[in-house]
């Protein structure tokens, strides 16, 4: 079998991350917008294309959920613009963010729109793409590890497992007004799958629990709340669906958080790997 050489044209051996310098990454052209997922939090979970974009962009427009440790990887001279949106706090308007992306691209900038998790998983990436298409701005989508999968993994919860569930539902726990989404068919969702993963659901969790129980979900179904997923300060709390209101009355939950409903909670006792010294590494 032929051995593949890991060397430059002049014969100098490459090792580690230096080998990436010779890879044919896509060119980040001026006037383009890249919508990039930075992952669920830990810098080590960002993709190679995310790293490449950080090294190639002229301006980074980033969200509130982007770990500051990831922004350390931008090249010197790159502009940083905060465009965070957090529930209940002063936030940039979505339309203003989209307009700003267009303005920067039309000025010939290489614009990196950096989002926590994945741009298309409750990240409003689709809305921003609509504006870019209308303005005839070329763009690229770089997916990221979403908290609803990566965060579960760091909590020792497999999103699917043949012994517990062959399906999973992902949904958001609030609408544009911050209230429980009225356009979710909670009765249908309640019994559609053993596992439901909810983003941004802590604020309305008691109301959501009532709706799911009314739809036929068992009161003793396990609820797992993962705060600051994949970060050293990650915290995991447990309760039951029928006890959510009482639980919330005496428990202060840090956000952002992912809420997981269903029997995969039982796997945590077996798969809880993110402990001790592993938590001390800020890269993940």
């Amino acid at each position: 079998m032929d051995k593949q050489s890991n060397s430059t044209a002049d014969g100098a051996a490459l090792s580690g991350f230096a080998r990436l310098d010779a890879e044919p990454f896509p060119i980040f052209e001026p006037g383009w917008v890249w919508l990039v997922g930075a992952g669920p939090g830990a810098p080590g979970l960002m993709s190679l294309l995310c790293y490449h974009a950080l090294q190639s962009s002229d301006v980074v427009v980033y969200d509130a959920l982007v770990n500051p440790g990831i922004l350390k990887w931008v090249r010197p001279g790159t502009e940083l613009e905060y465009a965070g949106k957090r529930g209940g706090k002063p936030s940039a308007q979505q339309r203003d963010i989209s307009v700003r992306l267009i303005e920067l691209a039309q000025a010939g900038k290489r614009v990196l729109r950096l989002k926590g998790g994945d741009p298309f998983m409750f990240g409003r990436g689709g809305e921003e793409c609509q504006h870019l298409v209308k303005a005839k701005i070329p763009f690229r989508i770089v997916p990221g590890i979403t908290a609803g999968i990566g965060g579960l993994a760091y909590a020792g919860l497999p999103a699917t497992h043949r012994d517990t569930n062959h399906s999973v539902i992902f949904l958001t726990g609030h609408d544009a007004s911050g209230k429980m989404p009225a356009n979710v068919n909670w009765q249908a969702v309640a019994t559609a799958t053993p596992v439901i993963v909810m983003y941004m659901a802590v604020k309305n969790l008691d109301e959501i629990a009532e709706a799911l129980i009314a739809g036929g979900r068992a009161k003793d179904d396990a609820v797992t709340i993962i705060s600051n997923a994949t970060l050293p300060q990650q915290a995991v709390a447990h309760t039951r669906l029928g006890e959510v209101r009482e639980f919330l009355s005496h428990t202060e939950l840090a956000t952002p958080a992912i809420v997981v409903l269903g029997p995969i909670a039982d796997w945590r006792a077996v798969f809880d790997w993110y402990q001790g010294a592993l938590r001390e590494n800020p890269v993940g």
Side-chain angles (χ1 to χ4, degrees):
M1 183 173 64
D2 292 337
K3 292 184 178 180
Q4 193 172 26
S5 174
N6 293 320
S7 62
T8 59
D10 63 3
L14 295 176
S15 63
F17 283 101
R19 293 169 60 185
L20 297 176
D21 294 339
E23 292 301 315
F25 283 102
I27 297 174
F28 198 158
E29 299 280 3
W32 279 64
V33 175
W34 284 25
L35 288 88
V36 179
L45 297 179
M46 66 177 169
S47 67
L48 292 179
L49 278 176
C50 178
Y51 174 79
H52 169 64
L54 288 168
Q55 290 290 302
S56 306
S57 57
D58 297 312
V59 56
V60 178
V61 182
Y62 65 98
D63 276 351
L65 297 181
V66 173
N67 186 335
I70 292 174
L71 297 176
K72 295 190 309 182
W73 296 100
V74 300
R75 67 176 179 172
T78 301
E79 302 172 41
L80 298 177
E81 291 195 11
Y82 177 72
K85 297 176 69 65
R86 294 297 303 275
K89 299 180 180 180
S91 302
Q93 296 298 312
Q94 184 58 52
R95 185 183 182 282
D96 293 338
I97 296 173
S98 299
V99 168
R100 182 58 177 158
L101 297 177
I102 293 168
E103 290 175 346
L104 290 167
Q106 289 176 336
K109 303 281 189 179
R110 287 169 287 215
V111 185
L112 169 53
R113 177 66 171 118
L114 192 62
K115 294 174 173 289
D118 179 90
F120 280 179
M121 182 64 86
F122 305 118
R124 303 194 179 184
E127 297 172 45
E128 291 171 7
C129 283
Q130 285 179 288
H131 284 85
L132 295 173
V133 169
K134 187 175 181 180
K136 295 182 170 53
I137 301 296
F139 63 90
R140 171 186 281 264
I141 307 298
V142 178
I145 297 175
T146 183
I149 295 178
L152 269 62
Y154 266 61
L157 303 178
T160 64
H161 192 291
R162 287 192 299 176
D163 292 342
T164 52
N165 64 304
H166 290 82
S167 62
V168 58
I169 286 176
F170 298 94
L171 58 84
T172 177
H174 70 68
D175 59 19
S177 68
K179 298 180 180 179
M180 186 178 83
N183 60 354
V184 172
N185 186 336
W186 295 101
Q187 184 170 2
V189 166
T191 57
T193 181
V195 175
I196 302 174
V197 177
M198 294 175 270
Y199 293 67
M200 302 166 287
V202 169
K203 179 182 176 182
N204 301 314
L205 189 54
D206 56 344
E207 191 176 356
I208 291 172
E210 290 179 2
L212 291 173
I213 291 171
R217 196 80 180 197
K219 290 184 178 182
D220 64 350
D221 211 358
V223 177
T224 307
I225 303 105
I226 310 163
S227 299
N228 294 309
T230 77
L231 300 176
Q233 65 269 33
Q234 173 178 292
V236 182
H238 301 275
T239 187
R240 298 286 173 180
L241 193 62
E243 301 168 1
V244 162
R245 184 179 293 275
E246 180 184 357
F247 173 80
L248 292 175
S249 69
H250 60 74
T251 306
E252 189 72 26
L253 293 172
T255 57
I258 289 287
V259 179
V260 187
L261 178 63
I264 60 173
D266 294 341
W267 292 113
R268 179 165 160 78
V270 182
F271 300 151
D272 185 18
W273 63 273
Y274 189 50
Q275 302 185 54
L278 292 175
R279 285 175 169 261
E280 298 173 8
N281 190 327
V283 175

